Amino acid sequence: MKVGLARVSSVGQNLDSQIIALKEYGCEKIFTEKKSGTTTKGRTALREWIDFMRESDEGVVTRIDRCSRSVLDLQLIVKELESKG
Protein backbone atom coordinates (compact mmCIF):
# COMPACT_ATOMS: atom_id res chain seq x y z
CA MET A 1 0.00 0.00 0.00
CA LYS A 2 1.20 3.52 -0.76
CA VAL A 3 0.99 5.63 2.40
CA GLY A 4 1.35 9.38 2.03
CA LEU A 5 2.50 12.11 4.38
CA ALA A 6 1.60 15.74 3.68
CA ARG A 7 3.04 18.53 5.83
CA VAL A 8 3.06 22.29 5.93
CA SER A 9 4.84 24.40 8.52
CA SER A 10 1.97 26.46 9.86
CA VAL A 11 -1.78 26.39 10.38
CA GLY A 12 -2.32 29.14 7.79
CA GLN A 13 -0.79 27.09 4.97
CA ASN A 14 -2.71 24.77 2.68
CA LEU A 15 -2.17 21.01 2.24
CA ASP A 16 -4.42 20.63 -0.81
CA SER A 17 -1.75 20.48 -3.54
CA GLN A 18 0.20 17.81 -1.64
CA ILE A 19 -2.92 15.75 -0.97
CA ILE A 20 -3.93 15.92 -4.64
CA ALA A 21 -0.44 14.83 -5.75
CA LEU A 22 -0.37 11.96 -3.24
CA LYS A 23 -3.81 10.73 -4.37
CA GLU A 24 -2.78 10.98 -8.03
CA TYR A 25 0.28 8.86 -7.22
CA GLY A 26 -2.00 6.20 -5.75
CA CYS A 27 -1.77 6.73 -2.00
CA GLU A 28 -4.60 4.88 -0.29
CA LYS A 29 -3.93 6.42 3.13
CA ILE A 30 -2.65 9.96 3.74
CA PHE A 31 -1.51 11.46 7.02
CA THR A 32 -1.53 15.25 7.30
CA GLU A 33 -0.01 17.72 9.69
CA LYS A 34 0.61 21.42 10.11
CA LYS A 35 3.87 21.48 12.08
CA SER A 36 7.43 22.60 11.52
CA GLY A 37 9.67 19.89 10.10
CA THR A 38 12.81 21.10 11.86
CA THR A 39 12.41 18.37 14.48
CA THR A 40 10.44 15.16 14.88
CA LYS A 41 9.38 16.12 18.40
CA GLY A 42 5.64 16.77 18.66
CA ARG A 43 4.94 15.58 15.13
CA THR A 44 2.01 13.28 15.88
CA ALA A 45 1.10 12.62 12.24
CA LEU A 46 4.70 11.69 11.41
CA ARG A 47 4.70 9.18 14.26
CA GLU A 48 1.31 7.78 13.14
CA TRP A 49 2.58 7.53 9.53
CA ILE A 50 5.63 5.54 10.63
CA ASP A 51 3.64 3.33 13.01
CA PHE A 52 0.94 2.64 10.40
CA MET A 53 3.32 1.29 7.77
CA ARG A 54 3.77 -2.44 7.48
CA GLU A 55 6.15 -4.64 5.58
CA SER A 56 6.10 -3.86 1.85
CA ASP A 57 4.20 -0.55 2.27
CA GLU A 58 5.63 2.43 0.41
CA GLY A 59 6.04 5.73 2.29
CA VAL A 60 5.36 8.66 -0.03
CA VAL A 61 5.99 12.41 0.32
CA THR A 62 5.79 15.07 -2.39
CA ARG A 63 9.22 16.43 -1.41
CA ILE A 64 11.76 15.02 1.02
CA ASP A 65 11.54 18.12 3.25
CA ARG A 66 7.87 17.32 3.87
CA CYS A 67 9.13 14.37 5.91
CA SER A 68 12.10 16.02 7.62
CA ARG A 69 14.17 19.18 7.41
CA SER A 70 17.07 17.54 9.26
CA VAL A 71 19.37 15.03 7.58
CA LEU A 72 19.88 13.23 10.90
CA ASP A 73 16.12 12.98 11.56
CA LEU A 74 15.60 11.74 8.00
CA GLN A 75 18.26 9.06 8.47
CA LEU A 76 16.57 7.89 11.68
CA ILE A 77 13.15 7.81 9.99
CA VAL A 78 14.52 5.81 7.04
CA LYS A 79 16.32 3.40 9.40
CA GLU A 80 13.12 2.82 11.38
CA LEU A 81 11.08 2.26 8.22
CA GLU A 82 13.71 -0.12 6.82
CA SER A 83 13.57 -2.14 10.03
CA LYS A 84 9.83 -2.60 9.41
CA GLY A 85 10.49 -3.93 5.91
Side-chain angles (χ1 to χ4, degrees):
M1 172 190 290
K2 293 178 183 174
V3 185
L5 175 67
R7 182 192 65 79
V8 291
S9 297
S10 67
V11 175
Q13 294 177 309
N14 193 308
L15 290 162
D16 292 348
S17 63
Q18 290 180 58
I19 292 169
I20 289 167
L22 292 168
K23 285 181 180 179
E24 287 177 352
Y25 186 71
C27 291
E28 298 176 51
K29 176 84 173 160
I30 299 172
F31 292 85
T32 62
E33 68 182 344
K34 294 186 175 190
K35 287 256 186 188
S36 171
T38 56
T39 180
T40 58
K41 291 179 177 54
R43 291 191 52 203
T44 307
L46 172 66
R47 183 77 258 155
E48 290 171 353
W49 179 67
I50 292 168
D51 290 345
F52 178 84
M53 282 197 263
R54 302 155 307 220
E55 188 173 345
S56 79
D57 282 348
E58 178 182 341
V60 182
V61 292
T62 58
R63 291 189 345 223
I64 201 67
D65 70 344
R66 300 301 85 199
C67 180
S68 174
R69 301 287 302 236
S70 158
V71 173
L72 175 59
D73 285 342
L74 180 59
Q75 288 175 319
L76 294 172
I77 291 166
V78 169
K79 184 176 180 175
E80 184 174 355
L81 290 173
E82 285 178 337
S83 74
K84 295 179 78 166

